[in-house]
Every structure is written in structure tokens, then in C-alpha cells.
């Protein structure tokens, strides 16, 4: 997780593997009541093979815990990915 401005952060994580190869990534940021839901089709791996998501609208000088889950679009199976720091 990298802070890129006072109200934004970038989350880097490995793509899910197996299953249908099509996922919805559920990205939980802090105490936000609902996760960001991002389909795998809109994320492209960087040169390290990591996916990147930018969360916006955050408060200055607040600590955020981030969790990423991959939800298989066909089977509904869920897996939690480790977020890189």
C-alpha cells in the first residue's frame, strides 16, 4: 500500500489464479461499509505481475487497513490475497 497524495492510496496485489480466470476483486479500505468491487477485466498486471488499484476520498493523517478478496465470477468461490506493502 502506497500513499500517493493526501486523499489517495495505491494497493498492489497478485492476481488470483485458477477457477474461471475471471474475478471480481473486493477491496476493503478502512471502515468503508462496502468494498470496492473491481472486475479483473479492468486491471492489467504491471511489470512485476502485480495488479494496482487506487482508492480515493480518504482522510488525511488516518491509518487504513486494506484487505483484498477475489470472487470467482462463475463459481462464486472467494479467496483472500495478501496485499504487498
Amino acid at each position: 500500500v502506497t500513499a500517493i497524495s493526501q486523499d489517495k492510496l495505491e494497493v498492489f496485489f497478485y492476481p488470483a489464479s485458477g477457477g474461471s480466470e475471471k474475478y471480481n476483486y473486493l477491496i476493503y479500505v478502512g471502515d468503508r461499509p462496502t468494498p470496492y468491487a473491481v472486475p479483473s477485466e479492468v486491471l492489467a498486471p504491471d511489470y512485476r505481475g502485480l495488479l494496482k488499484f487506487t482508492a480515493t476520498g480518504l482522510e488525511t493523517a488516518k491509518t487504513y487497513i486494506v484487505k483484498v478478496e477475489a470472487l470467482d465470477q462463475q463459481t462464486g468461490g472467494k479467496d483472500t490475497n495478501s496485499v504487498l506493502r
Side-chain angles (χ1 to χ4, degrees), residues 4-80:
I4 58 173
S5 75
Q6 292 181 344
D7 66 345
K8 296 179 187 174
L9 61 80
E10 291 180 333
V11 180
F12 293 90
F13 54 96
Y14 288 106
S17 59
S20 70
E21 296 295 326
K22 290 190 178 186
Y23 301 93
N24 284 323
Y25 290 100
L26 305 178
I27 304 170
Y28 298 85
V29 179
D31 54 3
R32 189 172 190 265
T34 57
Y36 294 96
V38 184
S40 57
E41 295 85 3
V42 301
L43 299 172
D46 67 8
Y47 69 96
R48 302 167 293 180
L50 299 174
L51 301 177
K52 177 181 81 171
F53 173 76
T54 302
T56 60
L58 306 178
E59 295 178 34
T60 305
K62 183 174 179 181
T63 301
Y64 289 90
I65 295 173
V66 177
K67 177 182 173 183
V68 178
E69 293 180 342
L71 184 64
D72 190 298
Q73 292 177 6
Q74 289 183 353
T75 68
K78 190 184 289 188
D79 187 27
T80 301

